[in-house]
Amino acid sequence: MIRMGMLLGDRYEILEKIGTGGMSDVYKAMDQKLNRNVAVKVLKQEFSENANFVSKFLVEAQAAAGLMHPNIVNVYDVGEEDDIHYIVMELVEGITLKKYIEKKARLSYKEAVSIAIQVAMGIEAAHNNHIIHRDIKPQNIIISREGKVKVTDFGIAKAATSNTVTSNVMGSVHYTSPEQARGGYSDEKSDVYSLGITLFEMLTGRVPFDGDTTVAIAIKHIQEPMPSPREYVEEIPVSVEQIVLKCCQKAVDRRYQSMGELIDDLKQALVHPDENFVQIVDPDETGATRLVMEEPEEEEYEEEENIGFRTSSMNHTGTMRLRTDRVPEELLEQEEQEEIEEESKAEKVTFVLMLVAGIVILVLIIFMIFQILGFFELPLGNSSSSSVTQEAESEEEETQTVTMIAVVGEDVDTVTASLRALGLDVAKQYEESDTISAGIVMSADVSVGTILNVGDTVTLTVSAGKEGIAIEDVTGMLQDEAVTLLEQQGFTVSVTESYSDTVEKGYVISQNPEGGQTVSKGSAVTIKVSSGSDESTVRVPNLIGLPIGDCETELESCGLVLGSVSEGYSSDVAEDLICEQQYGEGSYVDRGASVDVTVSLGEAPSTYSYQDSIEAPTSEEAPNYVSGTSVQIALMSDSGKTLYSASVSEFPVTVSISGITSSTGTGTILMTYTYDAIVTEATESTAAVTEKRTASFERTVTFTKD
């Protein structure tokens, strides 16, 4: 099982999961030996347990690892560790052609042709190494952030179709060639057909054949004529239309016979789009011999229910028939006749091959005998220099050159498409201009007529107009696509990340300044990119207004627990409902964290205060009071609660009380003091006798409402 941080092959450190498919999961990893990021494609468990599939898969991957081309997602390494089978590939940050088409609805013919040229160049390199892709479709074509088009998954389709694998591994039947739909042998011309279907989709935004079931679509590839892309988009040039139709001929020998031929016509279509120069030759009409497709014995096609194919009859050549319960009977009869003819031809071809092999072996034996007897001497001394010379010549042949075209005064999008079609990379920088309209090329760092190598970079200086540059709205785009677009406009881009439950990981949530605003070239633009929803953290829900029981249930459903519960007054939330929560709604906390809440006691009662000076008793209140006498003071509320109590002998007394809850706003001062009294004896003689007596009186006071 793959874990973040684990090390595969003592070399590749797994960093994060970046994608998944029907057959594998893809992870971003760090190659610690070369200190670079790579993509690691790991087979899913159900395929790892199929030894036959794994064997073929690794063989095909190792073959693909020999491919090195700018338009191919290069395979670096293949490995196996603890039943984990993986392929290490070039990490290309960008968007699939499928998503690019969906985003733009359809592409202009110049952009579509430019992309098709780059795809064809990558496939041509594979064909030159005897590797057939077999699954060309927009999902397997990536447009990098630099605008480079790359083809991925070479060799994987062959491994998939050679074993019992469901259709989600094989890919979409929308792009399959007629010979593949029949279950027959596929070669370079099958890739030509699939690329033609892909070009059709780029031009029109749809596939030519569709249906309710995959079998119905497969039959359409076999039987129905190819529709013209101009039926859906009238402005498509005639040359581009004819290129698509030639790619998608039912008969393999009427298609382009190599990717090189297709590339030549695609380049000519960019220069002369309205000329009808595409030639579709019918071998039957010219007397040529039709090509016979041989079936390799080692490839078996077993049941693939999801795309409607089933092995109802299998002969020794590996030919597979379509399901008899879902395919027209006439088609089956036609296929049976073709199988008989192909078996006879295959036997003849086998005999010829065996005869040739016998002759070659005989010649080798004779040569070895003469070598031993000394009749021949090999020029061993010159072999090294000869090999070096051949390698140098080969490298010279592989280095392709192109001539720089005129670009000044042209629209930047048109120029970019034309340069990329020539195999050149394009960089852009923007400058404000009072005289040249925005989007027009002002200059290039390479002059017209200069000889360049394929892959060289041409830097264009583009007018931003006189009012600055209108920022593209990149909200909802992939991060790399957004950064590339903004940088090409001349902006400095900074990226921040934020978790989001609504925006998919890697896509832009927002930008500042917003799209459409006009600012000066070189201005800073900040984009916020989604990190996805963090599985280790939980988004806190809104608990305000819930009863305590519902609050606990809501927290548990989110992976959180109820913490301490306190009480407090609230003027906004009714009594016995949650009025406060520890973390705000939408904030993220660790899964399993506790959340403290406060339950409302309802609206807080009114409070009052008393701040005044209490004066000494008056003669009316206490006729016998003498200044300096000790007096006990008590301030009471109407409810009988003692608010203040003190024993004083000096007046006035300052009192300050707050938080009084009495609603009447009045209180009572109770004063108690002692005084001397004169007592008369019973003998009627009066004598001065001191006696302590107590007297009290009350005052009414008013409280002030807070």
Side-chain angles (χ1 to χ4, degrees), residues 666-700:
T666 62
T668 300
I669 295 179
L670 178 64
M671 289 191 179
T672 302
Y673 64 95
T674 61
Y675 62 93
D676 294 337
I678 297 176
V679 180
T680 301
E681 297 283 341
T683 60
E684 296 182 357
S685 61
T686 302
V689 178
T690 300
E691 181 180 347
K692 299 291 184 179
R693 292 189 178 182
T694 301
S696 65
F697 61 90
E698 293 183 353
R699 288 178 183 173
T700 300

PDB file of all heavy atoms in Angstrom, residues 666-700:
ATOM      1  N   THR A 666     -35.688  51.755  43.584  1.00  0.00           N
ATOM      2  CA  THR A 666     -35.683  52.450  44.878  1.00  0.00           C
ATOM      3  C   THR A 666     -35.043  51.584  45.923  1.00  0.00           C
ATOM      4  O   THR A 666     -34.899  50.377  45.759  1.00  0.00           O
ATOM      5  CB  THR A 666     -37.122  52.796  45.339  1.00  0.00           C
ATOM      6  OG1 THR A 666     -37.851  51.591  45.503  1.00  0.00           O
ATOM      7  CG2 THR A 666     -37.802  53.709  44.346  1.00  0.00           C
ATOM      8  N   GLY A 667     -34.655  52.215  47.065  1.00  0.00           N
ATOM      9  CA  GLY A 667     -34.049  51.469  48.145  1.00  0.00           C
ATOM     10  C   GLY A 667     -34.299  52.165  49.478  1.00  0.00           C
ATOM     11  O   GLY A 667     -34.944  53.210  49.535  1.00  0.00           O
ATOM     12  N   THR A 668     -33.797  51.631  50.590  1.00  0.00           N
ATOM     13  CA  THR A 668     -34.004  52.174  51.934  1.00  0.00           C
ATOM     14  C   THR A 668     -32.686  52.268  52.669  1.00  0.00           C
ATOM     15  O   THR A 668     -31.871  51.339  52.598  1.00  0.00           O
ATOM     16  CB  THR A 668     -34.965  51.284  52.751  1.00  0.00           C
ATOM     17  OG1 THR A 668     -36.218  51.222  52.090  1.00  0.00           O
ATOM     18  CG2 THR A 668     -35.160  51.844  54.145  1.00  0.00           C
ATOM     19  N   ILE A 669     -32.484  53.433  53.363  1.00  0.00           N
ATOM     20  CA  ILE A 669     -31.322  53.590  54.244  1.00  0.00           C
ATOM     21  C   ILE A 669     -31.821  53.450  55.676  1.00  0.00           C
ATOM     22  O   ILE A 669     -32.688  54.203  56.120  1.00  0.00           O
ATOM     23  CB  ILE A 669     -30.645  54.953  54.058  1.00  0.00           C
ATOM     24  CG1 ILE A 669     -30.042  55.056  52.642  1.00  0.00           C
ATOM     25  CG2 ILE A 669     -29.552  55.163  55.101  1.00  0.00           C
ATOM     26  CD1 ILE A 669     -29.389  56.378  52.369  1.00  0.00           C
ATOM     27  N   LEU A 670     -31.324  52.517  56.380  1.00  0.00           N
ATOM     28  CA  LEU A 670     -31.699  52.279  57.781  1.00  0.00           C
ATOM     29  C   LEU A 670     -30.539  52.708  58.665  1.00  0.00           C
ATOM     30  O   LEU A 670     -29.463  52.148  58.576  1.00  0.00           O
ATOM     31  CB  LEU A 670     -32.019  50.797  58.011  1.00  0.00           C
ATOM     32  CG  LEU A 670     -32.388  50.396  59.442  1.00  0.00           C
ATOM     33  CD1 LEU A 670     -33.691  51.082  59.872  1.00  0.00           C
ATOM     34  CD2 LEU A 670     -32.537  48.887  59.542  1.00  0.00           C
ATOM     35  N   MET A 671     -30.776  53.756  59.533  1.00  0.00           N
ATOM     36  CA  MET A 671     -29.719  54.260  60.413  1.00  0.00           C
ATOM     37  C   MET A 671     -30.040  53.911  61.865  1.00  0.00           C
ATOM     38  O   MET A 671     -31.159  54.149  62.329  1.00  0.00           O
ATOM     39  CB  MET A 671     -29.576  55.784  60.297  1.00  0.00           C
ATOM     40  CG  MET A 671     -28.988  56.241  58.984  1.00  0.00           C
ATOM     41  SD  MET A 671     -28.561  57.982  59.044  1.00  0.00           S
ATOM     42  CE  MET A 671     -27.873  58.208  57.425  1.00  0.00           C
ATOM     43  N   THR A 672     -29.105  53.382  62.575  1.00  0.00           N
ATOM     44  CA  THR A 672     -29.263  53.029  63.992  1.00  0.00           C
ATOM     45  C   THR A 672     -28.168  53.729  64.793  1.00  0.00           C
ATOM     46  O   THR A 672     -26.997  53.656  64.400  1.00  0.00           O
ATOM     47  CB  THR A 672     -29.143  51.514  64.181  1.00  0.00           C
ATOM     48  OG1 THR A 672     -30.135  50.870  63.366  1.00  0.00           O
ATOM     49  CG2 THR A 672     -29.373  51.139  65.630  1.00  0.00           C
ATOM     50  N   TYR A 673     -28.569  54.429  65.949  1.00  0.00           N
ATOM     51  CA  TYR A 673     -27.571  55.142  66.753  1.00  0.00           C
ATOM     52  C   TYR A 673     -28.003  55.103  68.208  1.00  0.00           C
ATOM     53  O   TYR A 673     -29.138  54.765  68.540  1.00  0.00           O
ATOM     54  CB  TYR A 673     -27.419  56.587  66.275  1.00  0.00           C
ATOM     55  CG  TYR A 673     -28.655  57.424  66.448  1.00  0.00           C
ATOM     56  CD1 TYR A 673     -28.817  58.242  67.590  1.00  0.00           C
ATOM     57  CD2 TYR A 673     -29.674  57.404  65.501  1.00  0.00           C
ATOM     58  CE1 TYR A 673     -29.966  59.001  67.764  1.00  0.00           C
ATOM     59  CE2 TYR A 673     -30.801  58.161  65.664  1.00  0.00           C
ATOM     60  CZ  TYR A 673     -30.960  58.969  66.786  1.00  0.00           C
ATOM     61  OH  TYR A 673     -32.100  59.717  66.955  1.00  0.00           O
ATOM     62  N   THR A 674     -27.125  55.489  69.153  1.00  0.00           N
ATOM     63  CA  THR A 674     -27.417  55.527  70.598  1.00  0.00           C
ATOM     64  C   THR A 674     -27.365  56.972  71.104  1.00  0.00           C
ATOM     65  O   THR A 674     -26.665  57.812  70.505  1.00  0.00           O
ATOM     66  CB  THR A 674     -26.389  54.675  71.368  1.00  0.00           C
ATOM     67  OG1 THR A 674     -25.093  55.222  71.143  1.00  0.00           O
ATOM     68  CG2 THR A 674     -26.437  53.234  70.913  1.00  0.00           C
ATOM     69  N   TYR A 675     -28.114  57.232  72.236  1.00  0.00           N
ATOM     70  CA  TYR A 675     -28.089  58.585  72.825  1.00  0.00           C
ATOM     71  C   TYR A 675     -28.330  58.473  74.322  1.00  0.00           C
ATOM     72  O   TYR A 675     -28.812  57.463  74.819  1.00  0.00           O
ATOM     73  CB  TYR A 675     -29.148  59.475  72.169  1.00  0.00           C
ATOM     74  CG  TYR A 675     -30.573  59.001  72.365  1.00  0.00           C
ATOM     75  CD1 TYR A 675     -31.337  59.487  73.450  1.00  0.00           C
ATOM     76  CD2 TYR A 675     -31.146  58.070  71.504  1.00  0.00           C
ATOM     77  CE1 TYR A 675     -32.649  59.039  73.627  1.00  0.00           C
ATOM     78  CE2 TYR A 675     -32.432  57.634  71.672  1.00  0.00           C
ATOM     79  CZ  TYR A 675     -33.190  58.122  72.730  1.00  0.00           C
ATOM     80  OH  TYR A 675     -34.474  57.684  72.917  1.00  0.00           O
ATOM     81  N   ASP A 676     -28.037  59.560  75.120  1.00  0.00           N
ATOM     82  CA  ASP A 676     -28.216  59.595  76.593  1.00  0.00           C
ATOM     83  C   ASP A 676     -29.650  60.006  76.934  1.00  0.00           C
ATOM     84  O   ASP A 676     -30.240  60.880  76.276  1.00  0.00           O
ATOM     85  CB  ASP A 676     -27.252  60.597  77.238  1.00  0.00           C
ATOM     86  CG  ASP A 676     -25.811  60.158  77.081  1.00  0.00           C
ATOM     87  OD1 ASP A 676     -25.594  58.936  76.884  1.00  0.00           O
ATOM     88  OD2 ASP A 676     -24.912  61.024  77.110  1.00  0.00           O
ATOM     89  N   ALA A 677     -30.202  59.418  78.014  1.00  0.00           N
ATOM     90  CA  ALA A 677     -31.568  59.748  78.461  1.00  0.00           C
ATOM     91  C   ALA A 677     -31.566  60.139  79.951  1.00  0.00           C
ATOM     92  O   ALA A 677     -30.709  59.713  80.722  1.00  0.00           O
ATOM     93  CB  ALA A 677     -32.487  58.553  78.235  1.00  0.00           C
ATOM     94  N   ILE A 678     -32.546  60.997  80.435  1.00  0.00           N
ATOM     95  CA  ILE A 678     -32.703  61.409  81.851  1.00  0.00           C
ATOM     96  C   ILE A 678     -33.812  60.578  82.471  1.00  0.00           C
ATOM     97  O   ILE A 678     -34.924  60.531  81.941  1.00  0.00           O
ATOM     98  CB  ILE A 678     -33.041  62.899  81.965  1.00  0.00           C
ATOM     99  CG1 ILE A 678     -31.871  63.734  81.399  1.00  0.00           C
ATOM    100  CG2 ILE A 678     -33.328  63.281  83.408  1.00  0.00           C
ATOM    101  CD1 ILE A 678     -32.156  65.214  81.389  1.00  0.00           C
ATOM    102  N   VAL A 679     -33.523  59.966  83.643  1.00  0.00           N
ATOM    103  CA  VAL A 679     -34.483  59.061  84.284  1.00  0.00           C
ATOM    104  C   VAL A 679     -34.976  59.701  85.587  1.00  0.00           C
ATOM    105  O   VAL A 679     -34.176  60.215  86.366  1.00  0.00           O
ATOM    106  CB  VAL A 679     -33.855  57.683  84.574  1.00  0.00           C
ATOM    107  CG1 VAL A 679     -34.882  56.771  85.228  1.00  0.00           C
ATOM    108  CG2 VAL A 679     -33.334  57.098  83.284  1.00  0.00           C
ATOM    109  N   THR A 680     -36.305  59.715  85.880  1.00  0.00           N
ATOM    110  CA  THR A 680     -36.902  60.255  87.119  1.00  0.00           C
ATOM    111  C   THR A 680     -37.168  59.105  88.068  1.00  0.00           C
ATOM    112  O   THR A 680     -37.818  58.128  87.703  1.00  0.00           O
ATOM    113  CB  THR A 680     -38.223  60.985  86.827  1.00  0.00           C
ATOM    114  OG1 THR A 680     -37.934  62.045  85.892  1.00  0.00           O
ATOM    115  CG2 THR A 680     -38.813  61.550  88.093  1.00  0.00           C
ATOM    116  N   GLU A 681     -36.669  59.268  89.371  1.00  0.00           N
ATOM    117  CA  GLU A 681     -36.841  58.207  90.350  1.00  0.00           C
ATOM    118  C   GLU A 681     -38.291  58.174  90.825  1.00  0.00           C
ATOM    119  O   GLU A 681     -39.034  59.152  90.720  1.00  0.00           O
ATOM    120  CB  GLU A 681     -35.939  58.475  91.570  1.00  0.00           C
ATOM    121  CG  GLU A 681     -34.477  58.459  91.260  1.00  0.00           C
ATOM    122  CD  GLU A 681     -33.954  57.066  91.096  1.00  0.00           C
ATOM    123  OE1 GLU A 681     -34.582  56.104  91.546  1.00  0.00           O
ATOM    124  OE2 GLU A 681     -32.862  56.927  90.464  1.00  0.00           O
ATOM    125  N   ALA A 682     -38.650  57.131  91.464  1.00  0.00           N
ATOM    126  CA  ALA A 682     -40.004  56.987  91.998  1.00  0.00           C
ATOM    127  C   ALA A 682     -40.257  57.908  93.183  1.00  0.00           C
ATOM    128  O   ALA A 682     -41.382  58.224  93.525  1.00  0.00           O
ATOM    129  CB  ALA A 682     -40.251  55.540  92.424  1.00  0.00           C
ATOM    130  N   THR A 683     -39.163  58.417  93.822  1.00  0.00           N
ATOM    131  CA  THR A 683     -39.278  59.312  94.977  1.00  0.00           C
ATOM    132  C   THR A 683     -39.552  60.727  94.538  1.00  0.00           C
ATOM    133  O   THR A 683     -39.548  61.659  95.348  1.00  0.00           O
ATOM    134  CB  THR A 683     -37.977  59.275  95.797  1.00  0.00           C
ATOM    135  OG1 THR A 683     -36.899  59.702  94.931  1.00  0.00           O
ATOM    136  CG2 THR A 683     -37.703  57.908  96.315  1.00  0.00           C
ATOM    137  N   GLU A 684     -39.785  60.882  93.285  1.00  0.00           N
ATOM    138  CA  GLU A 684     -40.073  62.150  92.653  1.00  0.00           C
ATOM    139  C   GLU A 684     -38.901  63.115  92.691  1.00  0.00           C
ATOM    140  O   GLU A 684     -39.031  64.284  92.398  1.00  0.00           O
ATOM    141  CB  GLU A 684     -41.293  62.819  93.300  1.00  0.00           C
ATOM    142  CG  GLU A 684     -42.565  62.012  93.094  1.00  0.00           C
ATOM    143  CD  GLU A 684     -43.777  62.733  93.696  1.00  0.00           C
ATOM    144  OE1 GLU A 684     -43.566  63.804  94.294  1.00  0.00           O
ATOM    145  OE2 GLU A 684     -44.864  62.224  93.511  1.00  0.00           O
ATOM    146  N   SER A 685     -37.739  62.666  93.066  1.00  0.00           N
ATOM    147  CA  SER A 685     -36.532  63.491  92.947  1.00  0.00           C
ATOM    148  C   SER A 685     -35.866  63.138  91.633  1.00  0.00           C
ATOM    149  O   SER A 685     -35.686  61.971  91.304  1.00  0.00           O
ATOM    150  CB  SER A 685     -35.585  63.220  94.116  1.00  0.00           C
ATOM    151  OG  SER A 685     -35.191  61.864  94.107  1.00  0.00           O
ATOM    152  N   THR A 686     -35.571  64.204  90.892  1.00  0.00           N
ATOM    153  CA  THR A 686     -35.025  63.971  89.540  1.00  0.00           C
ATOM    154  C   THR A 686     -33.519  63.906  89.605  1.00  0.00           C
ATOM    155  O   THR A 686     -32.877  64.784  90.190  1.00  0.00           O
ATOM    156  CB  THR A 686     -35.470  65.095  88.589  1.00  0.00           C
ATOM    157  OG1 THR A 686     -36.883  65.134  88.566  1.00  0.00           O
ATOM    158  CG2 THR A 686     -34.918  64.843  87.206  1.00  0.00           C
ATOM    159  N   ALA A 687     -32.950  62.884  88.929  1.00  0.00           N
ATOM    160  CA  ALA A 687     -31.487  62.730  88.911  1.00  0.00           C
ATOM    161  C   ALA A 687     -31.030  62.499  87.457  1.00  0.00           C
ATOM    162  O   ALA A 687     -31.739  61.871  86.668  1.00  0.00           O
ATOM    163  CB  ALA A 687     -31.055  61.563  89.771  1.00  0.00           C
ATOM    164  N   ALA A 688     -29.884  62.979  87.098  1.00  0.00           N
ATOM    165  CA  ALA A 688     -29.349  62.792  85.733  1.00  0.00           C
ATOM    166  C   ALA A 688     -28.706  61.417  85.624  1.00  0.00           C
ATOM    167  O   ALA A 688     -27.663  61.168  86.241  1.00  0.00           O
ATOM    168  CB  ALA A 688     -28.328  63.869  85.425  1.00  0.00           C
ATOM    169  N   VAL A 689     -29.361  60.577  84.874  1.00  0.00           N
ATOM    170  CA  VAL A 689     -28.879  59.192  84.694  1.00  0.00           C
ATOM    171  C   VAL A 689     -28.634  58.962  83.192  1.00  0.00           C
ATOM    172  O   VAL A 689     -29.515  59.252  82.366  1.00  0.00           O
ATOM    173  CB  VAL A 689     -29.893  58.164  85.245  1.00  0.00           C
ATOM    174  CG1 VAL A 689     -29.392  56.754  85.002  1.00  0.00           C
ATOM    175  CG2 VAL A 689     -30.152  58.428  86.687  1.00  0.00           C
ATOM    176  N   THR A 690     -27.454  58.416  82.821  1.00  0.00           N
ATOM    177  CA  THR A 690     -27.161  58.120  81.399  1.00  0.00           C
ATOM    178  C   THR A 690     -27.642  56.721  81.045  1.00  0.00           C
ATOM    179  O   THR A 690     -27.277  55.744  81.703  1.00  0.00           O
ATOM    180  CB  THR A 690     -25.649  58.215  81.141  1.00  0.00           C
ATOM    181  OG1 THR A 690     -25.226  59.541  81.456  1.00  0.00           O
ATOM    182  CG2 THR A 690     -25.337  57.915  79.697  1.00  0.00           C
ATOM    183  N   GLU A 691     -28.431  56.677  79.949  1.00  0.00           N
ATOM    184  CA  GLU A 691     -28.981  55.372  79.505  1.00  0.00           C
ATOM    185  C   GLU A 691     -28.827  55.272  77.978  1.00  0.00           C
ATOM    186  O   GLU A 691     -29.118  56.242  77.254  1.00  0.00           O
ATOM    187  CB  GLU A 691     -30.453  55.273  79.890  1.00  0.00           C
ATOM    188  CG  GLU A 691     -31.066  53.947  79.476  1.00  0.00           C
ATOM    189  CD  GLU A 691     -32.535  53.863  79.865  1.00  0.00           C
ATOM    190  OE1 GLU A 691     -33.006  54.691  80.651  1.00  0.00           O
ATOM    191  OE2 GLU A 691     -33.189  52.954  79.335  1.00  0.00           O
ATOM    192  N   LYS A 692     -28.330  54.155  77.486  1.00  0.00           N
ATOM    193  CA  LYS A 692     -28.150  53.922  76.047  1.00  0.00           C
ATOM    194  C   LYS A 692     -29.454  53.446  75.435  1.00  0.00           C
ATOM    195  O   LYS A 692     -30.004  52.427  75.845  1.00  0.00           O
ATOM    196  CB  LYS A 692     -27.051  52.871  75.790  1.00  0.00           C
ATOM    197  CG  LYS A 692     -25.666  53.267  76.311  1.00  0.00           C
ATOM    198  CD  LYS A 692     -25.088  54.398  75.510  1.00  0.00           C
ATOM    199  CE  LYS A 692     -23.667  54.719  75.974  1.00  0.00           C
ATOM    200  NZ  LYS A 692     -23.077  55.815  75.191  1.00  0.00           N
ATOM    201  N   ARG A 693     -29.913  54.217  74.440  1.00  0.00           N
ATOM    202  CA  ARG A 693     -31.128  53.807  73.738  1.00  0.00           C
ATOM    203  C   ARG A 693     -30.863  53.802  72.232  1.00  0.00           C
ATOM    204  O   ARG A 693     -30.014  54.542  71.738  1.00  0.00           O
ATOM    205  CB  ARG A 693     -32.264  54.766  74.057  1.00  0.00           C
ATOM    206  CG  ARG A 693     -32.723  54.665  75.521  1.00  0.00           C
ATOM    207  CD  ARG A 693     -33.968  55.456  75.738  1.00  0.00           C
ATOM    208  NE  ARG A 693     -34.429  55.326  77.117  1.00  0.00           N
ATOM    209  CZ  ARG A 693     -35.548  55.899  77.584  1.00  0.00           C
ATOM    210  NH1 ARG A 693     -36.282  56.627  76.766  1.00  0.00           N
ATOM    211  NH2 ARG A 693     -35.919  55.734  78.849  1.00  0.00           N
ATOM    212  N   THR A 694     -31.629  53.043  71.535  1.00  0.00           N
ATOM    213  CA  THR A 694     -31.468  52.905  70.078  1.00  0.00           C
ATOM    214  C   THR A 694     -32.656  53.521  69.369  1.00  0.00           C
ATOM    215  O   THR A 694     -33.805  53.311  69.779  1.00  0.00           O
ATOM    216  CB  THR A 694     -31.362  51.425  69.669  1.00  0.00           C
ATOM    217  OG1 THR A 694     -30.240  50.864  70.349  1.00  0.00           O
ATOM    218  CG2 THR A 694     -31.165  51.285  68.178  1.00  0.00           C
ATOM    219  N   ALA A 695     -32.333  54.261  68.288  1.00  0.00           N
ATOM    220  CA  ALA A 695     -33.400  54.830  67.458  1.00  0.00           C
ATOM    221  C   ALA A 695     -33.039  54.603  65.997  1.00  0.00           C
ATOM    222  O   ALA A 695     -31.865  54.530  65.630  1.00  0.00           O
ATOM    223  CB  ALA A 695     -33.547  56.314  67.744  1.00  0.00           C
ATOM    224  N   SER A 696     -34.025  54.474  65.140  1.00  0.00           N
ATOM    225  CA  SER A 696     -33.783  54.248  63.702  1.00  0.00           C
ATOM    226  C   SER A 696     -34.794  55.005  62.861  1.00  0.00           C
ATOM    227  O   SER A 696     -35.859  55.367  63.354  1.00  0.00           O
ATOM    228  CB  SER A 696     -33.849  52.751  63.381  1.00  0.00           C
ATOM    229  OG  SER A 696     -35.146  52.257  63.597  1.00  0.00           O
ATOM    230  N   PHE A 697     -34.431  55.200  61.615  1.00  0.00           N
ATOM    231  CA  PHE A 697     -35.343  55.850  60.663  1.00  0.00           C
ATOM    232  C   PHE A 697     -34.948  55.371  59.261  1.00  0.00           C
ATOM    233  O   PHE A 697     -33.907  54.756  59.061  1.00  0.00           O
ATOM    234  CB  PHE A 697     -35.254  57.382  60.774  1.00  0.00           C
ATOM    235  CG  PHE A 697     -33.886  57.918  60.472  1.00  0.00           C
ATOM    236  CD1 PHE A 697     -33.545  58.278  59.179  1.00  0.00           C
ATOM    237  CD2 PHE A 697     -32.924  58.045  61.472  1.00  0.00           C
ATOM    238  CE1 PHE A 697     -32.274  58.759  58.910  1.00  0.00           C
ATOM    239  CE2 PHE A 697     -31.663  58.527  61.189  1.00  0.00           C
ATOM    240  CZ  PHE A 697     -31.325  58.886  59.906  1.00  0.00           C
ATOM    241  N   GLU A 698     -35.783  55.662  58.290  1.00  0.00           N
ATOM    242  CA  GLU A 698     -35.554  55.197  56.909  1.00  0.00           C
ATOM    243  C   GLU A 698     -35.561  56.371  55.936  1.00  0.00           C
ATOM    244  O   GLU A 698     -36.257  57.366  56.162  1.00  0.00           O
ATOM    245  CB  GLU A 698     -36.633  54.185  56.484  1.00  0.00           C
ATOM    246  CG  GLU A 698     -36.570  52.880  57.246  1.00  0.00           C
ATOM    247  CD  GLU A 698     -37.603  51.883  56.758  1.00  0.00           C
ATOM    248  OE1 GLU A 698     -38.444  52.286  55.919  1.00  0.00           O
ATOM    249  OE2 GLU A 698     -37.557  50.728  57.175  1.00  0.00           O
ATOM    250  N   ARG A 699     -34.796  56.187  54.857  1.00  0.00           N
ATOM    251  CA  ARG A 699     -34.807  57.120  53.740  1.00  0.00           C
ATOM    252  C   ARG A 699     -35.076  56.333  52.450  1.00  0.00           C
ATOM    253  O   ARG A 699     -34.605  55.212  52.297  1.00  0.00           O
ATOM    254  CB  ARG A 699     -33.461  57.834  53.596  1.00  0.00           C
ATOM    255  CG  ARG A 699     -33.154  58.863  54.662  1.00  0.00           C
ATOM    256  CD  ARG A 699     -31.784  59.437  54.391  1.00  0.00           C
ATOM    257  NE  ARG A 699     -31.373  60.384  55.421  1.00  0.00           N
ATOM    258  CZ  ARG A 699     -30.163  60.916  55.492  1.00  0.00           C
ATOM    259  NH1 ARG A 699     -29.256  60.574  54.597  1.00  0.00           N
ATOM    260  NH2 ARG A 699     -29.857  61.767  56.457  1.00  0.00           N
ATOM    261  N   THR A 700     -35.757  56.943  51.537  1.00  0.00           N
ATOM    262  CA  THR A 700     -36.001  56.332  50.224  1.00  0.00           C
ATOM    263  C   THR A 700     -35.020  56.924  49.218  1.00  0.00           C
ATOM    264  O   THR A 700     -34.865  58.149  49.139  1.00  0.00           O
ATOM    265  CB  THR A 700     -37.441  56.576  49.754  1.00  0.00           C
ATOM    266  OG1 THR A 700     -38.341  56.004  50.701  1.00  0.00           O
ATOM    267  CG2 THR A 700     -37.667  55.976  48.381  1.00  0.00           C
TER     268      THR A 700
END
